[in-house]
Amino acid sequence: MTVSAKLSEPEIHSALHKLTGWTVVNGKLHREYKFADFIHAFGFMASCALAAEAMGHHPEWCNVYNRVTVDLTTHDAGGIGAKDLELAGKMDALYLQEAPKADG
């Protein structure tokens, strides 16, 4: 089993410039997505779940009505790793498919 490497602060901050809406909160990549309603938020989560499972990398997340809050960290790396950035990018791409239906 390969242990993932924790990214340095400069690597993380450089990557944040390429991601929309992501910040670092409590040592984790963090973002809140907003949708038109619960169905679109839940559909987004289902699509993300398929991508996360295919990667073998799973988010910490919460859904309340039309909002999905996501935190990404690589536990075996002890912080933010490359897989977190990759999953964040995939989540953003999936969000863009829903964005025209979102109200903000």
Side-chain angles (χ1 to χ4, degrees), residues 11 30 44 46 68 86:
E11 289 172 318
H30 175 85
F44 170 76
V68 176
E86 181 182 350

Side-chain angles (χ1 to χ4, degrees), residues 53-104:
E53 185 64 20
M55 290 177 63
H57 191 64
H58 305 97
E60 297 174 17
W61 55 6
C62 175
N63 166 237
V64 177
Y65 182 58
N66 68 335
R67 296 180 189 272
V68 176
T69 304
V70 180
D71 289 301
L72 300 175
T73 188
T74 302
H75 297 286
D76 61 342
I80 298 169
K83 280 191 171 185
D84 300 307
L85 298 175
E86 181 182 350
L87 184 54
K90 289 181 180 193
M91 294 178 93
D92 283 350
L94 290 166
Y95 180 68
L96 288 176
Q97 294 174 12
E98 292 291 334
K101 300 172 192 120
D103 62 1

